[in-house]
Amino acid sequence: MVSDFGSRRSCGALRASDEGAVVELNGWINRRRDHGGLIFVDLRDRDGITQIVFDPKQPAFADAERLRHEDVLRVNGTVRKRPIGTQNAKLPTGDIEIGVDRVDVLNRSLVPPFAVNTDDDVEENLRLEYRYLDLRRPRLQRNLTIRHRIVKAMRDYFDSREFLEIETPMLIKSTPEGARDYLVPSRIHPGSFYALPQSPQLLKQILMIAGFGRYMQIARCMRDEDLRADRQPEFTQVDVEMSFCTQDDVLEIMETCMRHVWHEVLGVHLPPFPRLSHAQALERYGTDKPDLRFGLELTDVTQIFAHTEFVVFASVVRASGAVLALRYPGGAALSRRDFDALAEIAKGHGAKGMVWVSLDAGGPKSSAAKFIDAATAELLREAVGAENGDAILLFADARGAAASVAGKMRAEIGERCSLRHPGDFAFAWVTDFPLFERDEESGLPAPAHHPFTAPGEGQWDLIDTDPMAMRAQHYDMVLNGFELGSGSIRIHKPQFQRRIFEMLGLTEEQIEQRFGFFVKALDYGAPPHGGMALGIDRIVMLAVGETSIRDVIAFPKNQMARDVMMDAPTSVPESLLRDLALRSAAPVPRPQGGAQ
RNA sequence: GGCGCUGUAGCUCAGUUGGUUAGAGCGCCGCCCUGUCACGGCGGAGGUCGUGGGUUCGAGCCCCAUCAGCGUCGCCA
C-alpha cells in the first residue's frame, strides 16, 4: 500500500531504494524505545511498521519524550538507510528509518486496557468492549484483510461466470417455520411487522422467474436463535441462484468458486471434492458434516454380537438397533479411569453407555470383559482394522442414535489424536438428502431443508405411498466437519409446490396467506432453477485457522447476543414505542448485582 | 432451560492440608542511558480475590446462592 497523496507513505511501504526521499508518515505508536540520548518510535498503520528516529539535536526530541503507546502521529522526515549492523530483518522496512524533521501529535491515547501491539490472549469480553483496540491488533487486521480478499475473489469469480450481483431487501415478510424471525414493527401499519431475512431464498427464486438467469449476492442473514462459536444472530452468505441448471451444474460452479478462492487467497490448490450421499455420510461418519481430514470410519459390528449374552447389546440387536465400533489409535494406553471419563463425554453426547475394548499387548481388556472374550476381541480388531495398542469403542442403540454418538466421539478421538490439522482443508459434498424428516414433536413429515426443494428424478411417485423415502436434489458443502452451506434444485411447477405445502399440512388459506405471492409468481413461467448459499464467516474462519467466527467479524455479538461495545440491545423511550403502537410486556429488570 | 469450564493488580496468570503482610511477568509512573527494535538499569504506585450469605478462632482456598464470560446439548425449515 503506497499512499497516493503527495509525499504521504504508508508505514509498510518504504525500502532501501527510497533512500533520500522526503516523506510524510501517519500512524499509531506501536512501541517506543527511549535511550535517553536517542529515541526510537515504531510507527504503525494497517500496512506495517516503520522506525522513526529522534535525535536530541532536533526540536522534535522534546515531543518524543512525551509520546506514549497508541498516540497518533504525523511525521515528516527523510528516508535513510540504517547504519550497518542495525538493520532489522524481521521488518520489511527494516533496512531504513525516518530521520525526523517535524512531528505532529494528532491525538493522544489513554493507556489501553490491554496490549495493542501483540496478539496475547485477552478475555473476550474485554476485547469486545474495546473492539476498536482489538481490531488494531495484528490478528484481526490480518483476518479482516483476508476476509476482504476472499469476498473479492468470490465476486470476481462469479462476475467471470456471468452472475449479476443484485441486492434484495432487508425488510421483508415473515414466513413462519424455520428459525425465529427478527421482527421490525411498522409505524405506518400499527400492529404489523416486517421480518429481517433469514436468507433471500424466495427473492432469489423470484429473480430467476424474472429472467436474470444467474444471480449472486453477498447477503446478510438474521436468525434469532441461540449462539455458538460458529453461529451469530447475523451472518453473511454468498448467495447464488441459476436458471436452467442441473444439480451437477450448481456443484461445478460452487466447487470451482472455492477452488478459485483458495488458490487466489491462500495459494492452495484444492483437489476435486469427494461426494458422499447423505446415507453414506451417516453410515461411515455418523454425521451429515463429516470431518474428512482423517479416517477412523465407523464400523457396524452388530453381527458380531448377534448371539451375545451381554444383555445390553442383545436387547439392542433384538430391537433392530446397531452396535457401532470406533477405533481409538493408541487408546490402549488409557487407564480405566480415562475410559470412564471418555464414557462420560459420550453420555454427554446422548450415549446410553460406552463399552471399550483395549488391545493391550498382554491381551485384550474391556469394560465388558465377561462378554468379550479374546476371540470376539479379535473379530472386532479385524472389523475396525485396529492394531495392538489401539482401543475400540462400542456404542449400541437404535441405529441413528448410535451413529450420532459414535460420530461425535469420532470427532473427539480425532482431536485427541491430533488428526485435525488446521492447515488441512478437506472439502466434500454431501448429496441425496431425504426430502422430509420426521418432526420430533408432532411426528409429521417436515421439510429436511426448506419446502422449495425439488425431489430427485422419479421421486414424486412416492409422495402418496412413502414420502419419508423421497430423496431431494439437495446438497451440502462441508469443510473439516463444518457445514459451509447447502443448496438445492427448486420446485418450479406451481402445482408441485402447492402439493408440498399441502403435504406439510398447510391449508389453502395458509398457503395463500404465507406464500401466495410466491406461488403466484411460479404461475407466470418460472424456469427450472436451483442454487446454493455458503456461510462466509465460517469459510473465512477455517481459511485463517480460527475456531470462532467472532474472530473474523468486525463487530460480533457475545453468546448472549449482546453488542458489548455499543451495549445493544437496550430499552427505548416510551415515546418510540407509542409511535409503533407497541407496549413492552417484559418483566421489570432487577438491578444488576455485582457484574464482574 | 440443562451440562461443563472460568472469574485474584490495567493485562496474562501463580497462590501449598484453611493460618500472620496475597505474589510473578508484562503494562503504568519517576530517574538514568546515543543504535535499539520484546532495548537495558534503578526505584515506585497499583488488590472490595466477580457479588451476597454461611461454616470456622481464622476463608482467595470449604459450603450455598447469585452475576458474568466461554464451550456444548436443546434450538438453528
Side-chain angles (χ1 to χ4, degrees), chain A residues 85-391:
Chain A
T86 65
Q87 295 94 338
N88 185 349
K90 289 185 229 160
L91 292 179
T93 62
D95 287 337
I96 57 97
E97 63 194 14
I98 306 297
V100 179
D101 297 323
R102 169 179 175 174
V103 62
D104 293 287
V105 180
L106 303 181
N107 211 347
R108 296 252 176 221
S109 172
L110 295 177
V111 176
F114 52 85
V116 173
N117 52 16
T118 74
D119 280 329
D120 291 350
D121 275 353
V122 177
E123 189 199 335
E124 190 162 19
N125 217 31
L126 194 69
R127 292 173 54 201
L128 291 175
E129 181 181 349
Y130 294 92
R131 191 59 163 176
Y132 34 87
L133 297 180
D134 195 24
L135 286 164
R136 270 184 209 167
R137 305 204 300 165
R139 174 185 175 190
L140 291 192
Q141 291 263 319
R142 179 201 59 160
N143 289 356
L144 293 184
T145 302
I146 292 177
R147 182 177 178 127
H148 161 81
R149 291 197 190 122
I150 286 174
V151 171
K152 178 172 190 304
M154 286 176 172
R155 283 202 164 101
D156 290 346
Y157 168 79
F158 282 108
D159 178 67
S160 77
R161 307 244 6 209
E162 300 181 72
F163 285 75
L164 289 187
E165 179 159 14
I166 301 175
E167 291 173 79
T168 52
M170 302 299 283
L171 298 175
I172 63 173
K173 181 187 176 82
S174 176
T175 55
E177 300 184 76
R180 203 174 289 109
D181 278 327
Y182 277 101
L183 295 177
V184 178
S186 166
R187 173 183 56 84
I188 298 173
H189 304 279
S192 290
F193 297 82
Y194 301 98
L196 302 179
Q198 294 181 25
S199 82
Q201 181 62 33
L202 291 176
L203 293 158
K204 71 175 175 179
Q205 290 192 241
I206 288 172
L207 287 171
M208 293 304 101
I209 297 171
F212 281 100
R214 290 185 168 195
Y215 144 96
M216 68 82 67
Q217 181 182 194
I218 305 298
R220 194 64 66 84
C221 307
M222 291 82 168
R223 296 177 189 176
D224 188 2
E225 297 291 346
D226 285 353
L227 288 75
R228 291 286 186 281
D230 63 348
R231 270 165 38 190
Q232 283 271 301
E234 53 181 313
F235 58 101
T236 308
Q237 292 188 334
V238 53
D239 193 41
V240 175
E241 197 76 3
M242 50 201 285
S243 298
F244 309 111
C245 63
T246 63
Q247 171 169 319
D248 276 344
D249 294 335
V250 180
L251 300 195
E252 186 275 321
I253 287 273
M254 301 307 292
E255 183 171 329
T256 307
C257 173
M258 296 313 293
R259 193 168 288 117
H260 173 77
V261 167
W262 248 245
H263 182 261
E264 284 291 302
V265 180
L266 301 177
V268 169
H269 175 77
L270 294 175
F273 299 2
R275 295 187 189 183
L276 293 166
S277 73
H278 181 257
Q280 283 173 329
L282 291 183
E283 186 183 320
R284 292 166 58 186
Y285 304 102
T287 172
D288 60 5
K289 45 182 179 181
D291 187 342
L292 298 187
R293 282 175 296 180
F294 61 99
L296 301 186
E297 295 187 19
L298 310 184
T299 308
D300 185 340
V301 294
T302 313
Q303 280 311 309
I304 294 179
F305 295 101
H307 307 293
T308 184
E309 310 210 329
F310 186 25
V311 177
V312 176
F313 283 10
S315 67
V316 164
V317 171
R318 221 172 17 249
S320 308
V323 182
L324 300 181
L326 172 66
R327 183 166 80 95
Y328 186 163
L334 269 65
S335 66
R336 277 169 191 274
R337 182 185 295 246
D338 294 332
F339 280 117
D340 287 346
L342 204 56
E344 283 308 308
I345 293 173
K347 283 177 188 165
H349 290 309
K352 300 225 169 62
M354 182 189 92
V355 169
W356 52 268
V357 181
S358 180
L359 300 175
D360 196 82
K365 297 177 188 156
S366 172
S367 55
K370 213 192 286 184
F371 306 103
I372 297 181
D373 54 24
T376 307
E378 178 56 21
L379 285 174
L380 287 170
R381 193 196 62 74
E382 271 178 42
V384 305
E387 299 165 11
N388 274 337
D390 292 349

Side-chain angles (χ1 to χ4, degrees), chain A residues 266-538:
Chain A
L266 301 177
V268 169
H269 175 77
L270 294 175
F273 299 2
R275 295 187 189 183
L276 293 166
S277 73
H278 181 257
Q280 283 173 329
L282 291 183
E283 186 183 320
R284 292 166 58 186
Y285 304 102
T287 172
D288 60 5
K289 45 182 179 181
D291 187 342
L292 298 187
R293 282 175 296 180
F294 61 99
L296 301 186
E297 295 187 19
L298 310 184
T299 308
D300 185 340
V301 294
T302 313
Q303 280 311 309
I304 294 179
F305 295 101
H307 307 293
T308 184
E309 310 210 329
F310 186 25
V311 177
V312 176
F313 283 10
S315 67
V316 164
V317 171
R318 221 172 17 249
S320 308
V323 182
L324 300 181
L326 172 66
R327 183 166 80 95
Y328 186 163
L334 269 65
S335 66
R336 277 169 191 274
R337 182 185 295 246
D338 294 332
F339 280 117
D340 287 346
L342 204 56
E344 283 308 308
I345 293 173
K347 283 177 188 165
H349 290 309
K352 300 225 169 62
M354 182 189 92
V355 169
W356 52 268
V357 181
S358 180
L359 300 175
D360 196 82
K365 297 177 188 156
S366 172
S367 55
K370 213 192 286 184
F371 306 103
I372 297 181
D373 54 24
T376 307
E378 178 56 21
L379 285 174
L380 287 170
R381 193 196 62 74
E382 271 178 42
V384 305
E387 299 165 11
N388 274 337
D390 292 349
I392 298 169
L393 309 181
L394 298 170
F395 304 97
D397 206 331
R399 184 167 292 275
S404 166
V405 169
K408 284 168 178 156
M409 293 308 287
R410 175 180 172 271
E412 173 76 25
I413 301 307
E415 184 66 34
R416 287 173 176 228
C417 297
S418 303
L419 299 172
R420 308 208 284 183
H421 309 120
D424 291 350
F425 299 106
F427 283 85
W429 289 108
V430 179
T431 63
D432 300 304
F433 278 70
L435 187 62
F436 299 110
E437 57 193 24
R438 195 73 69 182
D439 184 84
E440 295 268 333
E441 285 169 26
S442 66
L444 296 170
H449 180 43
H450 59 50
F452 318 109
T453 303
E457 196 74 28
Q459 299 290 304
W460 277 113
D461 302 341
L462 294 169
I463 193 157
D464 293 314
T465 53
D466 190 7
M468 296 308 293
M470 293 174 77
R471 299 291 113 181
Q473 295 186 67
H474 166 201
Y475 31 86
D476 276 8
M477 189 191 285
V478 168
L479 170 56
N480 293 0
F482 287 87
E483 179 196 320
L484 292 185
S486 55
S488 61
I489 299 301
R490 329 295 184 189
I491 297 165
H492 68 282
K493 299 234 183 220
Q495 64 273 28
F496 286 138
Q497 186 63 69
R498 288 197 173 88
R499 183 72 188 82
I500 291 289
F501 285 143
E502 286 163 12
M503 170 84 212
L504 299 174
L506 294 184
T507 65
E508 199 68 37
E509 291 73 34
Q510 287 170 321
I511 295 171
E512 190 52 38
Q513 190 205 342
R514 295 179 193 178
F515 302 107
F517 70 100
F518 178 65
V519 183
K520 184 159 101 185
L522 289 177
D523 274 325
Y524 288 88
H529 61 286
M532 179 152 212
L534 298 179
I536 289 190
D537 312 286
R538 289 181 188 172

